[in-house]
Amino acid sequence: SVVNSSDAGIFVDPSFGVELADLFMQGHALDAIRVEDSTDVSVHDVNFVGDNGGERALNFVACHNLDVARCNASGFLSTIGAIVELT
């Protein structure tokens, strides 16, 4: 579990072959998981709880070969209107 960060609960930059799995992410001010400039990233079996705040569950910036599976997200108050952002 990762709970109540003031920015990103988990931040990955830059990496290759990352697996984030079997996690409970709750109450993050901005992104629960942010990944930048990374390749071969797998995120699966993650429960995201925004507690009626938080911007995004997942934020991928300049990433390649992504795999996201079996994730749940609820309670996010996204000002950009996206729970998952790919840029």
Side-chain angles (χ1 to χ4, degrees), residues 38-62:
S38 297
T39 301
D40 294 334
V41 178
S42 176
V43 179
H44 59 90
D45 301 298
V46 180
N47 287 309
F48 298 97
V49 179
D51 286 340
N52 296 316
E55 191 66 30
R56 293 167 291 258
L58 293 166
N59 185 5
F60 296 108
V61 179

Side-chain angles (χ1 to χ4, degrees), residues 59-83:
N59 185 5
F60 296 108
V61 179
C63 294
H64 303 279
N65 294 339
L66 303 172
D67 177 39
V68 178
R70 298 178 306 278
C71 295
N72 299 304
S74 64
F76 285 85
L77 183 61
S78 178
T79 60
I80 63 167
I83 303 303

